[in-house]
Amino acid sequence: EVYEEVETTLGNAIQKWESGTISAKAIVEERARLRLGRARARVVYNDLLQGTRPDKVAGAIQDYDVGISIMEVDFREHPDRVMYSEYPDALVKRGLAKEGLQDWNGAVQDYTKAIQALRPKDGRADVAMPGNSRIQEGDGLGMSPLILNFRGNVLGQLRRYDKAVEDYEEATQIFDADGEVRQASLSRANTGLALFGAGREAEAQLIMEKVVRNDPGVTDAHVALAAWYWANGRVPEAESQWQFACEQIDSGCQAYKDMKWVTEVRRWPPSLVSLLQKFLAKAG
């Protein structure tokens, strides 16, 4: 009810600004923020109802469309204006909302625009640097490895695994440069999953083995190796990886017995899901 009230309140404010009821000219950022605020309220409301209100997500996307359009018009009319951080953030949030409606192509487009907005504008390579590096003139707002992971995830849904690998690898480099060990490991495991999807199994195996060696708490890597080892006749190693995932990691392995979860939540590639099913069927 609280989020419905917020949605209604923001809707009233939007209606007054956009209908001309209020004669004062709204600051561009404020007009956009009203739309973005209602979009967030709609998305959160759907989340609280466990995704049962996709109409709220569709309405949020419409709000994001308007808010983003307001900012883009402002950029065109004032080309020397410094980009405000709300712009790439709104693109990412719209991309996430589109993911909720399984609009994978639309999500990729939004993440790509956000990534382009964050990169340096003078043609210099965008390389990972330590988090305490000094920002130089011409730098972008700073690449977010999370956005790269978001795009990688959606590229996987589109079976564009080789491109997903590129995003995951760049994200991993950034996390490594910032000393974010667990995030780097999770991103590296995503790289492994995408490599399996791309049919590059030998590379995927090496990546997953590196993950379990450097950060044993990443369940995805253990379970993926269990499935892969089993398929290649390395039964003791497969059983060892599965046992570690089940007994040595707090989250356990139970979720990986649910193929719907593995496919839709963890978004494993179909080829690896098939190997996991065979492993579970034979290993009991």
Side-chain angles (χ1 to χ4, degrees):
E1 291 184 3
V2 172
Y3 285 97
E4 283 189 307
E5 291 178 7
V6 171
E7 180 183 356
T8 300
T9 300
L10 289 171
N12 291 335
I14 290 168
Q15 194 277 331
K16 289 179 180 179
W17 277 118
E18 296 182 0
S19 67
T21 302
I22 299 176
S23 58
K25 185 177 180 180
I27 298 174
V28 171
E29 294 95 326
E30 292 181 352
R31 288 178 54 222
R33 283 171 185 153
L34 285 172
R35 285 284 187 167
L36 302 182
R38 186 169 70 175
R40 286 192 290 272
R42 286 171 161 173
V43 168
V44 171
Y45 184 61
N46 175 65
D47 290 343
L48 290 173
L49 295 179
Q50 300 181 329
T52 58
R53 292 295 303 272
D55 59 306
K56 293 293 183 183
V57 180
I61 291 172
Q62 292 175 355
D63 278 335
Y64 282 127
D65 289 345
V66 175
I68 290 168
S69 177
I70 290 171
M71 289 186 280
E72 289 178 339
V73 168
D74 188 40
F75 295 150
R76 287 195 296 271
E77 293 179 349
H78 305 90
D80 295 331
R81 176 164 292 176
V82 175
M83 181 185 301
Y84 21 88
S85 61
E86 286 89 347
Y87 178 65
D89 182 68
L91 288 168
V92 172
K93 286 185 168 62
R94 186 172 67 179
L96 291 169
K98 288 178 179 178
E99 281 196 57
L101 298 183
Q102 298 187 1
D103 178 8
W104 311 123
N105 284 302
V108 166
Q109 291 171 5
D110 279 340
Y111 296 144
T112 298
K113 288 182 71 174
I115 288 168
Q116 291 171 342
L118 293 169
R119 292 203 189 281
K121 301 300 182 289
D122 58 1
R124 285 179 294 112
D126 190 18
V127 298
M129 298 185 296
N132 61 354
S133 296
R134 182 184 296 273
I135 295 175
Q136 304 296 321
E137 184 175 355
D139 282 349
L141 293 175
M143 181 53 57
S144 166
L146 293 177
I147 303 175
L148 291 166
N149 269 284
F150 292 158
R151 188 171 68 173
N153 293 342
V154 180
L155 288 169
Q157 292 295 114
L158 294 170
R159 306 295 185 260
R160 294 168 60 186
Y161 293 112
D162 288 310
K163 298 301 293 183
V165 167
E166 294 178 11
D167 278 347
Y168 291 139
E169 287 180 336
E170 182 179 355
T172 301
Q173 291 173 1
I174 296 171
F175 282 131
D176 278 336
D178 287 344
E180 298 283 350
V181 176
R182 173 49 57 89
Q183 291 298 327
S185 296
L186 294 173
S187 189
R188 190 169 283 113
N190 285 339
T191 304
L193 294 176
L195 286 167
F196 275 119
R200 297 158 60 181
E201 290 91 351
E203 296 173 73
Q205 177 185 323
L206 292 175
I207 288 290
M208 291 305 197
E209 288 173 343
K210 181 175 182 178
V211 173
V212 299
R213 186 168 57 251
N214 294 344
D215 191 353
V218 179
T219 314
D220 254 2
H222 290 284
V223 178
L225 284 173
W228 176 246
Y229 286 158
W230 185 276
N232 286 273
R234 299 166 62 175
V235 175
E237 292 167 281
E239 292 176 338
S240 176
Q241 291 294 337
W242 180 252
Q243 184 178 15
F244 190 97
C246 296
E247 299 178 5
Q248 301 299 318
I249 300 177
D250 290 341
S251 58
C253 61
Q254 189 63 33
Y256 289 85
K257 298 177 182 180
D258 180 355
M259 292 304 106
K260 180 178 175 65
W261 181 85
V262 173
T263 301
E264 297 181 5
V265 178
R266 285 303 305 123
R267 300 183 182 181
W268 276 30
S271 59
L272 192 57
V273 173
S274 178
L275 294 184
L276 178 59
Q277 286 179 305
K278 293 174 181 177
F279 165 71
L280 293 173
K282 295 179 179 179

